[in-house]
Amino acid sequence: MDPSSGNIRTPDQRLRVFVSSTLKELAPERRAVRAAVERLHLAPVMFELGARPHPPRALYRSYLSQSDVFVGLYWERYGWVAPGEDVSGLEDEYRLVPPSMPRLVYVKDTTGTREPRLVELLDRIRSDDSASYTAFTDADSLGELVTADLAVLLAERFDASRAPAPAPEAAPGGTTPAGADDGHPEARAALPTPPTALIGREREVAEVLHLLAAGLGSTPVRMLTLTGPGGIGKSRLALEVASRLRSEFPDGVQFVDLTPVHDAALVPGAVAQALGVRDTGDGPIADKLATALHERRMLLVLDNLEQVTGAGPYLAGLLASAPGLVLLQTSRVLLRVSPEHSYEVGPLTMPGRHGDLDAARAAPAVALFVERARALRPDFDVTAANVDAVVAICAALDAVPLAIELAAARVRVLPPVAMLARLDRRLPLLTGGGRDLPERQQTLRRTIEWSVDLLDDPQRALLATIGVFDGPFTLEAVEAVGGSPEDGTDTLALLGALVDSSLVRQRDEEDGQEDLPSFTVLATVREFARERLAAEDRTDAVRDRHAAYYEQLGREAGPLLLGPGLRTWTARLALEDAELRATARHLLDQGEPDRAAAFAWSLYTYWWVGGRLGEVRRWMAEVLDAPGDVAPRTRATALYFTRAITFWQDPDDLVVPGLTESADLFRAEHDPWGEALALVSLALARLAAATPDPARAAEALDRALDLFRGAGSRWGEAMTLVTQGRVALLEGQVPDAAGCFEESLAAARQVHDPLGEAIALHHLGWARLLLGRLPEADADFRENLSLSARLGHDDGVAYGLEGLVAVAASTGDVERAGTLLGAAEALREQTGLYNAPTFSFHLLTLDQVLDDDARDRLETARAAGRALPVADAVDLALSGAPSPAPAGGAP
């Protein structure tokens, strides 16, 4: 194919805005323009977003010829003049703009000196009456200018060409757009299943449903905060309401537990993690989340917002950017932002008539007491002999649900009459709650203290220790942090007593974790436990033991993540994700950068697969910015995590020097695995540079391969071979590339590494497609997709769908190609994987086979694919017979 023939298509099918500028000099401005273009749902056409196998001049000329609007950015540099050329690419791009194409030109103010040839170019542009010429000061102001100018331009020049949109059609196979199915990828994590039925909240459920149902109609109640003291039942009410609203939100209902989050700045990351939006470090997670939610009609339940009320403005902004989003929140205090509506959750209803047995049994407060008591004494009931005591207990506890549950848990050893006598003596004397707290909040805290005082000393000590956990925790972790058989502590028996007292709750068995019992505590109990821990002056010691346990867990899990244990260990670590992140935070806060870096390095694969690399990058930036020297290995690790993640975004020329230093430091520390991994990332950075350097990339990869082989790391060997194959493709050596990918696949299979297999299969599929071996490519993409879906690896699923787009396009199946294309695009946006560069040529393959009629059919199928639940898209992609070779041979 001749790259200059105009067949190099831009990676979109929307109205295209070509952006011309020097690259590194105006990197922040280019990002601002790209964001402005995408806000208007247009497609930015930028050199760094294009395919690399073509000469730069042929690439930008072909892209420009297919664009609809020209945006020129200029500052001080004229740009590079290639050998044999008389003008820079910057000027050549402006010269090639067709006369009919709108030109928007923006010149950055300067106090320095512009290069003479740029001055000449700007003089010619100023005299061109067909160009709009505007000065700007910084990236933010430029973004606002471009947004406004493009909006006006679209209104003026394209309004007359509008036509009614075609009605949506069913996707191939009878699949309909989302709306009748809740299987979207964002619904991957369903609402938690409450352990018991909701008692006595029918009126509250109906009122909250009415408020939110109004928000779906004419009255916009899109942010509703359920308020009330801890233990009043806000979370349980929110879950009930959300479960009843599933059918109203075709894109899912998602629960987000914010209990482990103590910094408002981390709220976007917590929401993103719950939704499966990856914090890959290639852009602000808040921006990724806004993109993922922009076109979705979804309900988010944000639980326990009281410790991060500073996130209110962010959440209000998120609502503004996602018109189909509704927030149902629980908090002890209001956020006090403009879109917020509030609903106060009160106590349960008490019996109306004293001494009426039937009325008492029907009252929600008493019914809850009975239901919880029967969990421990199945024969318990309210009788004429105990009804007054039970009612009096509920009244003494202000009918607060959690307080009633805690009291009912004692019914096995304390009959209601005896329990009431103790409550009458104890509750007025307890001072666990501050005098300035609401009365019901004091009652709850006093009830917790009363329950705790009924424990023996070892049980009380263990409860205080458990306060160190931010989220779910395992029995193994409790044993490590709270005691061990060596010191005579029977942790299991103590924990069982806390579960029996309803102070600790055992969680349902997780998928694949049946042999790993896990537990949790309510936020109010955790808060009380931490106060006890501090009062006993044990906080620092317990936090140190907590960190030491998870550091050891990281050292054990790290090697097991590189083979067949990937799925099991990823699920295990995800269960305790809050504790892993708390460990890193504790080590940094304690001034232990060496331990923090070693901990981060030990779980490298988990952070990658789990979408946590962005947060790790921020931790390691703290290490590099901390005063004083750090150990060489620590610096090597921090440089790797802060440079390798964004190897394709290097406006400050920091990536290549940083990764070079990282590799050198690992070598000096006699760590061949670390050095090799840094060299692989260094090779990728050299390939992604404005001027790719395949020769030096290949040199780095050769050494990395020798190091991994010398260390006996087949995992590392597989990763390096894939990268070597990419270098070969860049140089047009497709058979050699296929050989590298085949070797990589063999290495991954030898160590039973499913992730390595999926990566190798994807690359091998493209090599075989380029060689015209379509049936083999089809099989590779299908196997990659199937394997990635089983692993829950979103990136691999997107790659598999994209590969099969190319296969369908090569056989002329436009509807199938369009449907899979839309599904892949939606998946990337909804999981935060849309910013990073991808190794996929499916758009180029599509453009080679599309005429005008086929393009219309493609767009209809593409829209249906974007609305298709990801599970259905995978089923569609894997269904049917393998594709035959195209009649014309190789694509």
Side-chain angles (χ1 to χ4, degrees):
M1 180 182 69
D2 178 8
S4 64
S5 67
N7 289 327
I8 308 172
R9 300 294 292 182
T10 56
D12 63 89
Q13 300 298 325
R14 295 174 289 171
L15 198 66
R16 305 176 179 108
V17 180
F18 184 96
V19 182
S20 172
S21 78
T22 49
L23 294 179
K24 294 185 178 180
E25 178 195 35
L26 291 169
E29 288 75 12
R30 290 176 69 84
R31 289 194 292 270
V33 171
R34 179 181 177 186
V37 172
E38 291 177 336
R39 272 197 299 271
L40 294 171
H41 300 285
L42 310 179
V45 179
M46 309 176 78
F47 183 80
E48 63 265 43
L49 302 181
R52 292 297 186 192
H54 308 288
R57 196 173 191 209
L59 189 68
Y60 72 69
R61 286 187 173 188
S62 185
Y63 275 18
L64 184 58
S65 70
Q66 301 168 70
S67 298
D68 304 287
V69 179
F70 175 90
V71 170
L73 312 178
Y74 308 95
W75 190 14
E76 294 177 345
R77 297 187 60 186
Y78 174 73
W80 179 62
V81 180
E85 303 291 343
D86 59 351
V87 296
S88 68
L90 190 71
E91 181 168 354
D92 195 29
E93 288 171 355
Y94 188 81
R95 287 182 176 183
L96 291 169
V97 178
S100 60
M101 184 183 294
R103 308 181 194 200
L104 303 179
V105 174
Y106 303 88
V107 182
K108 185 174 181 179
D109 293 339
T110 179
T111 56
T113 303
R114 289 196 174 98
E115 294 180 355
R117 295 199 65 177
L118 178 61
V119 173
E120 295 174 7
L121 174 60
L122 293 179
D123 287 339
R124 288 197 299 274
I125 293 175
R126 266 192 294 265
S127 63
D128 184 352
D129 58 9
S130 66
S132 168
Y133 188 103
T134 307
F136 70 94
T137 56
D138 54 31
D140 289 341
S141 63
L142 174 64
E144 294 174 1
L145 285 170
V146 172
T147 300
D149 290 348
L150 284 174
V152 171
L153 179 66
L154 291 175
E156 290 179 347
R157 301 186 68 118
F158 299 107
D159 189 69
S161 65
R162 290 193 187 122
E169 296 180 8
T175 306
T176 58
D181 194 303
D182 62 356
H184 252 4
E186 57 270 19
R188 69 182 67 205
L191 294 170
T193 303
T196 56
L198 182 66
I199 294 176
R201 292 295 193 188
E202 291 80 7
R203 176 181 57 82
E204 291 89 341
V205 169
E207 290 174 349
V208 174
L209 283 172
H210 174 73
L211 288 169
L212 292 177
L216 298 172
S218 58
T219 305
V221 179
R222 295 179 52 217
M223 177 188 280
L224 182 63
T225 304
L226 307 183
T227 63
I232 201 69
K234 302 182 296 295
S235 301
R236 184 64 185 85
L237 175 60
L239 284 174
E240 183 68 22
V241 169
S243 68
R244 298 193 190 188
L245 284 174
R246 286 181 189 272
S247 62
E248 301 292 337
F249 293 94
D251 292 320
V253 176
Q254 176 65 54
F255 181 86
V256 183
D257 182 9
L258 293 172
T259 305
V261 182
H262 306 288
D263 182 349
L266 300 180
V267 169
V271 177
Q273 186 72 11
L275 290 174
V277 178
R278 303 305 181 95
D279 186 5
T280 53
D282 56 1
I285 190 62
D287 292 351
K288 287 176 174 282
L289 189 57
T291 299
L293 290 172
H294 179 70
E295 297 181 357
R296 292 151 92 176
R297 189 172 167 214
M298 189 172 196
L299 173 67
L300 287 184
V301 181
L302 305 181
D303 195 36
N304 290 301
L305 266 169
E306 56 270 356
Q307 75 272 19
V308 286
T309 54
Y314 163 73
L315 294 174
L318 185 62
L319 275 183
S321 67
L325 179 66
V326 175
L327 299 180
L328 176 60
Q329 306 166 159
T330 73
S331 176
R332 299 183 204 176
V333 295
L334 291 173
L335 302 186
R336 303 204 179 279
V337 292
S338 57
E340 183 182 37
H341 290 67
S342 66
Y343 181 89
E344 184 174 0
V345 182
L348 294 172
T349 303
M350 291 288 294
R353 294 190 301 275
H354 180 70
D356 186 328
L357 184 58
D358 291 335
R361 287 173 172 169
V366 174
L368 177 65
F369 184 95
V370 173
E371 198 262 355
R372 298 300 187 262
R374 284 177 175 169
L376 295 170
R377 275 189 55 188
D379 62 340
F380 180 82
D381 200 359
V382 178
T383 65
N386 66 20
V387 62
D388 290 340
V390 172
V391 172
I393 289 169
C394 293
L397 299 176
D398 288 336
V400 174
L402 178 57
I404 291 174
E405 290 189 33
L406 292 173
R410 290 293 169 185
V411 78
R412 186 168 58 182
V413 293
L414 285 174
V417 175
M419 188 184 301
L420 178 62
R422 285 176 174 262
L423 284 173
D424 282 344
R425 289 197 303 270
R426 291 291 292 151
L427 281 182
L429 302 177
L430 294 174
T431 57
R435 297 293 184 184
D436 58 340
L437 289 176
E439 182 179 350
R440 291 193 186 100
Q441 187 74 10
Q442 293 186 47
T443 299
L444 175 63
R445 292 174 61 81
R446 292 169 183 172
T447 307
I448 294 173
E449 186 162 346
W450 172 74
S451 298
V452 171
D453 284 348
L454 293 176
L455 304 173
D456 61 28
D457 288 342
Q459 292 166 354
R460 282 195 293 270
L462 183 62
L463 179 66
T465 299
I466 284 173
V468 76
F469 293 104
D470 276 336
F473 51 88
T474 63
L475 173 61
E476 181 182 282
V478 177
E479 289 176 330
V481 177
S484 63
E486 287 75 15
D487 61 17
T489 301
D490 187 350
T491 305
L492 180 58
L494 297 178
L495 189 59
L498 298 180
V499 172
D500 289 344
S501 301
S502 293
L503 292 163
V504 174
R505 300 188 174 191
Q506 185 165 6
R507 302 175 75 246
D508 292 336
E509 294 174 342
E510 299 290 318
D511 182 27
Q513 301 293 323
E514 290 80 4
D515 59 344
L516 192 69
S518 61
F519 306 84
T520 188
V521 296
L522 292 175
T524 46
V525 177
R526 179 184 290 107
E527 180 181 312
F528 184 90
R530 287 182 173 177
E531 290 177 1
R532 280 289 183 105
L533 195 62
E536 296 168 7
D537 197 25
R538 293 198 295 130
T539 301
D540 290 343
V542 170
R543 286 202 175 277
D544 286 343
R545 288 204 302 274
H546 175 278
Y549 168 74
Y550 284 102
E551 287 178 279
Q552 179 59 33
L553 182 65
R555 287 190 289 270
E556 293 174 3
L560 301 175
L561 289 163
L562 303 179
L566 173 70
R567 184 175 183 179
T568 299
W569 272 98
T570 298
R572 160 70 192 276
L573 295 171
L575 172 68
E576 297 180 275
D577 182 78
E579 309 313 317
L580 300 176
R581 295 158 61 216
T583 296
R585 186 71 265 159
H586 175 69
L587 294 174
L588 290 170
D589 291 343
Q590 293 298 110
E592 297 271 10
D594 296 337
R595 288 174 64 190
F599 175 66
W601 191 246
S602 70
L603 291 174
Y604 167 82
T605 307
Y606 171 70
W607 307 128
W608 172 28
V609 175
R612 288 290 189 194
L613 283 177
E615 191 165 356
V616 178
R617 179 188 182 189
R618 292 187 286 274
W619 296 335
M620 295 300 100
E622 288 185 45
V623 170
L624 293 178
D625 293 340
D629 295 330
V630 296
R633 182 181 175 81
T634 298
R635 181 168 175 80
T637 301
L639 283 169
Y640 178 84
F641 277 122
T642 55
R643 304 300 191 264
I645 295 173
T646 54
F647 60 82
W648 66 94
Q649 297 172 340
D650 189 16
D652 302 315
D653 292 324
L654 295 176
V655 169
V656 168
L659 289 173
T660 300
E661 183 183 355
S662 176
D664 291 344
L665 288 169
F666 277 125
R667 181 167 60 253
E669 291 295 301
H670 307 290
D671 183 347
W673 199 90
E675 180 188 355
L677 196 59
L679 287 170
V680 172
S681 294
L682 177 60
L684 288 170
R686 293 196 183 282
L687 292 176
T691 304
D693 191 345
R696 297 187 69 181
E699 180 183 330
L701 291 171
D702 286 343
R703 174 160 177 77
L705 190 59
D706 289 342
L707 288 168
F708 276 131
R709 283 174 171 165
S713 174
R714 293 288 274 168
W715 178 90
E717 185 179 347
M719 293 298 102
T720 308
L721 285 164
V722 161
T723 313
Q724 283 188 323
R726 293 174 72 157
V727 174
L729 277 186
L730 181 65
E731 296 181 320
Q733 300 168 358
V734 182
D736 291 345
C740 289
F741 300 145
E742 287 169 347
E743 283 191 67
S744 175
L745 180 60
R749 283 176 170 165
Q750 183 178 354
V751 293
H752 307 289
D753 172 21
L755 183 60
E757 283 187 59
I759 293 170
L761 284 164
H762 164 72
H763 286 78
L764 183 58
W766 280 113
R768 286 173 167 167
L769 191 71
L770 292 171
L771 291 170
R773 294 156 59 180
L774 190 62
E776 293 172 87
D778 180 85
D780 292 334
F781 289 135
R782 287 170 184 260
E783 189 176 355
N784 162 56
L785 177 59
S786 178
L787 190 55
S788 298
R790 290 201 302 273
L791 290 173
H793 184 47
D794 295 323
D795 209 11
V797 171
Y799 274 128
L801 292 172
E802 289 162 354
L804 291 169
V805 167
V807 171
S810 298
T811 59
D813 192 341
V814 174
E815 282 77 12
R816 178 180 171 87
T819 303
L820 299 183
L821 173 63
E825 290 173 336
L827 176 60
R828 287 201 178 276
E829 291 172 7
Q830 293 168 10
T831 55
L833 297 169
Y834 62 92
N835 269 344
T838 59
F839 185 83
S840 187
F841 312 118
H842 58 291
L843 293 170
L844 298 176
T845 308
L846 267 175
D847 285 335
Q848 294 175 28
V849 301
L850 292 180
D851 54 26
D852 290 340
D853 175 64
R855 192 173 301 281
D856 291 340
R857 289 187 287 128
L858 177 94
E859 290 304 319
T860 299
R862 188 182 197 174
R866 289 186 64 85
L868 196 63
V870 66
D872 290 355
V874 170
D875 289 343
L876 174 65
L878 295 177
S879 65
S883 300

